[in-house]
Amino acid sequence: MDFLIQASDRCNCYIEFKSVTPLHQGKGYFPDAVTVRGQKHLRELSAVAASGHWAVLLFAGSALGD
């Protein structure tokens, strides 16, 4: 995971950050190709959520697309 947010009175929040490419008409697309590594990350996030923690997949792209 890219980030872990912890607080003593809350469950852990695991965050996986993904860049989206290409950006077309204001929309980002992910993945732009089949990715075994990306699939692994999604399975890990699913396991985190199943164990009772928060799991976040955050997509970010550049406003410079198109």
Side-chain angles (χ1 to χ4, degrees):
M1 301 301 145
D2 293 312
F3 299 99
L4 170 61
I5 299 173
Q6 295 178 304
S8 60
D9 61 338
R10 304 206 184 246
C11 61
N12 291 340
C13 180
Y14 294 83
I15 302 171
E16 177 68 26
F17 178 85
K18 296 290 183 197
S19 296
V20 293
T21 57
L23 192 61
H24 179 69
Q25 295 181 344
K27 296 179 183 174
Y29 296 89
F30 180 88
D32 57 349
V34 175
T35 165
V36 173
R37 184 172 176 251
Q39 293 171 8
K40 175 182 174 264
H41 293 166
L42 290 176
R43 283 191 301 275
E44 290 171 347
L45 276 179
S46 293
V48 163
S51 71
H53 297 287
W54 284 80
V56 175
L57 183 56
L58 177 65
F59 296 102
S62 169
L64 301 176
D66 286 301

